[in-house]
C-alpha cells in the first residue's frame, strides 16, 4: 500500500449543470432552451423532465451546505444562458443575474471557490431557431452573454470556463440526434457545430479578457484517449479519425489554433481565413472531463465510418461505460508530454450506478467509491510524475436530470429523492470528504 499525497492548495469539489439541477424552468423570466423543446417533443427515455429536477433554484443554500460539509473548496456550476438572456440576445433578465449573485455570495461565505461555466448545453431556443451551432450567427450573442455575466460576477468569480463538452453537443445534438436539439446532420453537422462553438469560445474569451484582469480563463472538454480495437489498418485509421473529431478539433482549436489535418478537407467549406487564429486563445486553466477511454473500430454506416469496439474491460458502470482509471493517468501524462504541461483540472469524473437505499435510509455505493478511489489515485500518480494538475471535481454533487435518460441514471455523491427532494449523502460523499480534508489517499 502506497500513500498518495496532494498539495495543500489542491482543488477538491464537485460539478453540476444548471439545466440538470435548477428546475424552475418557467420562473422569474427564464426563456426556453433547446432541452425544453427536446423534452416537450417526448424525447426523454423515462418521460421525465427538468421542470423541477433537484429544485436547486430554491434549495441552493442547502446544496452549498453539502459542499461545505464535505470539506470541498471548489464548485464548478454552470450559468443558464436562457435565465440571463431569455431570447439568447437583447434584453437582460435581472432576476437571472440576481440568482447567481446569491449563489456566488453563498459559496464565498462558505469558503468555496466558485468556478463558473458559461455554456452547459442549454442553448436558448430562439438562437437555435436561427441556426444554432450550425452557423456563425450564434458567435456574437455568446460573446455578449459572456460579457454581461462577467460584468456582474467577475468581481467575485475569478474562474471562468467558456464551454462544457463541445464534442458531445456537436456529436449527439447535431450529428446523431440523441441529444437536443435532436438533429441528424451526420459528419458535416458534427464538424460545423464543433467549429462554431470554437469560434464562439474564442470570441467570449477575448470579450472577457478585454474588460477584466486577474481572472483565470479556460474551458472544459470531454477528452477520451482513442484506441483501435485491433491492429488491423482499418481499425487503426478509424481510431485516428475519431480521435481527430472527438478530441482534437476542440482541444487543438483553443490550444494550438489548428484544425486537425485529418479533418481539414471535410471542414474547408466553413472554416474561413482567420478562423484558426480566432479560435486560439492562451487559456489559464483547462478543465478535463474524463469517464473512460474509447476503443474504436472501422464500421461503415456510422459517422466517419467509426463505431464502438470491444473495450476489453471487466468493470462497467450502469451507463454501460467501461471503468478505465489508467486512461486518466495516460491522458494527464499526454498533456505533460505533448502540450507543454499546461495547468489542468479534472472538471468531471464519476459514475452512474443503480443505487440501493438500505433500510436505514442510506446509500452504501461501494462501486462508486471504488471508481472514485481508482481515479483519484490516477490523478495522484500523474501529479507525482510531474503533471500540472490543479484539482479534482467529481461528477456530480447531486443525482440529477441525466439528459436524454431523464431521472433514471444517478451520478450523484448525494442522493436526491425526486418525490420529496430530500438530499442524502452517500458513502461516496463521505469517501471524497475524507480525501479532501486529509489531502491523502492510501493507494491499494
Amino acid at each position: 500500500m502506497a500513500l498518495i499525497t496532494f498539495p495543500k492548495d489542491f482543488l477538491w469539489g464537485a460539478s453540476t449543470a444548471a439545466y440538470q439541477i435548477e428546475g424552475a424552468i418557467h420562473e422569474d423570466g427564464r426563456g426556453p432552451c433547446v432541452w425544453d423543446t427536446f423534452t416537450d417533443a417526448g424525447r426523454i427515455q423515462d418521460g421525465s423532465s427538468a421542470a423541477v429536477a433537484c429544485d436547486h433554484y430554491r434549495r441552493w443554500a442547502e446544496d452549498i451546505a453539502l459542499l461545505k460539509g464535505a470539506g470541498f473548496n471548489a464548485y464548478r456550476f454552470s450559468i443558464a444562458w436562457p435565465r440571463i438572456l431569455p431570447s439568447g440576445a437583447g434584453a437582460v433578465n435581472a432576476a437571472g443575474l440576481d440568482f447567481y449573485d446569491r449563489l456566488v455570495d453563498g459559496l464565498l461565505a462558505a469558503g468555496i471557490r466558485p468556478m463558473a461555466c458559461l455554456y452547459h448545453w442549454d442553448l436558448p431556443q430562439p438562437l437555435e431557431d436561427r441556426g444554432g451551432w450550425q452557423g456563425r450567427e450564434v458567435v456574437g450573442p455568446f460573446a455578449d452573454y459572456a460579457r454581461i455575466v462577467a460584468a456582474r460576477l467577475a468581481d467575485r468569480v475569478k474562474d471562468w470556463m467558456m464551454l462544457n463538452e463541445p464534442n458531445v453537443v456537436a456529436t449527439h445534438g447535431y450529428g446523431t440526434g440523441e441529444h437536443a436539439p435532436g438533429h441528424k446532420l451526420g459528419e458535416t453537422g458534427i464538424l460545423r457545430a464543433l467549429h462554431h462553438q470554437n469560434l464562439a469560445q474564442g470570441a467570449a474569451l477575448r470579450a472577457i479578457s478585454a474588460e477584466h484582469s486577474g481572472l483565470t480563463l479556460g474551458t472544459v472538454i470531454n477528452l477520451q484517449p482513442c484506441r483501435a480495437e485491433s491492429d488491423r489498418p482499418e481499425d487503426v485509421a478509424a481510431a485516428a479519425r475519431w480521435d481527430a473529431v472527438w478530441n482534437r478539433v476542440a482541444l487543438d482549436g483553443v490550444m494550438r489554433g489548428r484544425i486537425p489535418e485529418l479533418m481539414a478537407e471535410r471542414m474547408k467549406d466553413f472554416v474561413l481565413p482567420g478562423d484558426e487564429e480566432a479560435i486560439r486563445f492562451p487559456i489559464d486553466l483547462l478543465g478535463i472531463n474524463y469517464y473512460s477511454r474509447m476503443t474504436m473500430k472501422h464500421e461503415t454506416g456510422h459517422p466517419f465510418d467509426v463505431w464502438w469496439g470491444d473495450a476489453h474491460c471487466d468493470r462497467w458502470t450502469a451507463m454501460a461505460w467501461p471503468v478505465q482509471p489508467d486512461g486518466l493517468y495516460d491522458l494527464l501524462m499526454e498533456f505533460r508530454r505533448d502540450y507543454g504541461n499546461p495547468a489542468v483540472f479534472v472538471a468531471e469524473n464519476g459514475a452512474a450506478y443503480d443505487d440501493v437505499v438500505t433500510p436505514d435510509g442510506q446509500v452504501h455505493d461501494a462501486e462508486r467509491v471504488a471508481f472514485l478511489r481508482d481515479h483519484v489515485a490516477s490523478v495522484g500518480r500523474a501529479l507525482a510524475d510531474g503533471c500540472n494538475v490543479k484539482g479534482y471535481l467529481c461528477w456530480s454533487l447531486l443525482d440529477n436530470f441525466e439528459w436524454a435518460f431523464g431521472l433514471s441514471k444517478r451520478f450523484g455523491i448525494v442522493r436526491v429523492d425526486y418525490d420529496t427532494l430530500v438530499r442524502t449523502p452517500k458513502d461516496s460523499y463521505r469517501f471524497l470528504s475524507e480525501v479532501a480534508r486529509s489531502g491523502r489517499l492510501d493507494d491499494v
Side-chain angles (χ1 to χ4, degrees):
M1 181 179 293
L3 178 65
I4 295 175
T5 59
F6 295 86
K8 294 286 188 185
D9 60 351
F10 198 74
L11 298 177
W12 293 103
S15 292
T16 63
Y19 194 78
Q20 293 180 270
I21 67 170
E22 284 183 0
I25 62 174
H26 302 299
E27 297 180 33
D28 291 344
R30 178 190 176 278
C33 80
V34 292
W35 275 96
D36 299 326
T37 305
F38 191 79
T39 300
D40 290 344
R43 301 293 299 276
I44 306 304
Q45 292 184 18
D46 67 354
S48 64
S49 82
V52 176
C54 305
D55 197 31
H56 175 76
Y57 190 72
R58 294 181 181 82
R59 297 169 182 257
W60 58 269
E62 182 179 352
D63 296 334
I64 290 176
L66 286 165
L67 292 163
K68 183 177 182 180
F72 292 161
N73 58 12
Y75 175 52
R76 183 180 73 103
F77 62 96
S78 78
I79 293 171
W81 190 348
R83 211 176 277 290
I84 307 303
L85 293 157
S87 297
V92 177
N93 178 35
L97 287 172
D98 289 346
F99 169 71
Y100 294 105
D101 251 342
R102 295 191 295 272
L103 179 66
V104 166
D105 286 347
L107 289 166
L108 291 172
I112 297 165
R113 177 171 168 174
M115 305 181 77
C117 181
L118 287 169
Y119 181 67
H120 200 133
W121 303 6
D122 46 4
L123 182 69
Q125 185 62 44
L127 292 181
E128 173 58 30
D129 293 341
R130 285 151 50 189
W133 295 115
Q134 288 298 293
R136 292 171 179 258
E137 194 172 342
V138 72
V139 172
F142 185 68
D144 290 341
Y145 158 60
R147 190 181 297 109
I148 289 164
V149 177
R152 180 67 169 265
L153 300 177
D155 61 326
R156 287 154 290 153
V157 178
K158 301 305 179 183
D159 297 271
W160 292 88
M161 304 292 115
M162 302 300 106
L163 305 177
N164 179 83
E165 300 185 345
N167 46 1
V168 179
V169 171
T171 301
H172 299 330
Y174 291 89
T176 65
E178 298 166 85
H179 281 186
H183 300 312
K184 298 180 179 180
L185 303 176
E187 295 177 4
T188 300
I190 292 170
L191 294 173
R192 288 178 69 93
L194 275 167
H195 186 59
H196 295 124
Q197 285 178 92
N198 275 348
L199 285 171
Q201 174 175 266
L205 285 164
R206 286 173 173 81
I208 295 177
S209 65
E211 298 192 21
H212 304 274
S213 59
L215 303 181
T216 297
L217 301 181
T219 197
V220 178
I221 307 175
N222 178 302
L223 296 170
Q224 297 178 263
C226 292
R227 290 186 173 181
E229 181 189 56
S230 76
D231 58 4
R232 295 188 308 163
E234 57 266 41
D235 288 345
V236 173
R241 285 195 304 277
W242 192 244
D243 176 65
V245 175
W246 188 259
N247 294 317
R248 307 301 161 182
V249 174
L251 180 61
D252 287 359
V254 70
M255 300 291 284
R256 294 172 168 168
R258 184 185 307 162
I259 301 297
E261 187 175 342
L262 284 173
M263 292 298 120
E265 180 66 22
R266 300 171 193 250
M267 298 176 69
K268 66 179 183 180
D269 291 342
F270 50 86
V271 176
L272 304 182
D275 277 3
E276 289 180 298
E277 181 180 347
I279 63 181
R280 182 183 179 276
F281 190 88
I283 59 175
D284 306 299
L285 185 63
L286 175 68
I288 296 171
N289 293 355
Y290 175 82
Y291 290 93
S292 70
R293 290 196 187 93
M294 288 178 157
T295 304
M296 314 308 291
K297 65 180 179 180
H298 176 85
E299 189 171 306
T300 57
H302 301 284
F304 308 97
D305 292 331
V306 177
W307 195 238
W308 302 105
D310 185 348
H312 305 293
C313 186
D314 59 3
R315 291 171 62 189
W316 301 85
T317 73
M319 300 288 287
W321 296 350
V323 179
Q324 299 166 317
D326 52 329
L328 179 54
Y329 173 85
D330 294 343
L331 182 61
L332 294 171
M333 292 299 288
E334 177 187 322
F335 276 94
R336 182 178 184 273
R337 182 183 68 244
D338 298 339
Y339 287 86
N341 209 18
V344 301
F345 75 111
V346 176
E348 288 185 23
N349 177 241
Y353 288 105
D354 296 326
D355 296 331
V356 175
V357 180
T358 55
D360 61 357
Q362 298 301 305
V363 177
H364 304 298
D365 53 339
E367 289 180 301
R368 186 175 292 107
V369 170
F371 181 101
L372 296 173
R373 173 183 291 278
D374 291 346
H375 286 80
V376 169
S378 286
V379 173
R381 288 194 287 273
L383 264 171
D385 289 341
C387 294
N388 191 13
V389 191
K390 301 299 187 183
Y392 176 92
L393 278 61
C394 75
W395 183 269
S396 176
L397 177 65
L398 304 169
D399 291 337
N400 55 46
F401 182 80
E402 186 49 41
W403 305 114
F405 289 96
L407 300 174
S408 67
K409 300 296 183 183
R410 294 179 177 270
F411 276 86
I413 58 171
V414 174
R415 174 182 170 79
V416 177
D417 182 317
Y418 295 121
D419 294 324
T420 65
L421 298 173
V422 168
R423 277 86 159 129
T424 303
K426 306 175 187 178
D427 284 357
S428 53
Y429 172 94
R430 287 179 280 274
F431 164 74
L432 275 183
S433 175
E434 181 181 341
V435 176
R437 291 180 187 280
S438 67
R440 51 191 285 168
L441 174 71
D442 290 324
D443 183 22
V444 179

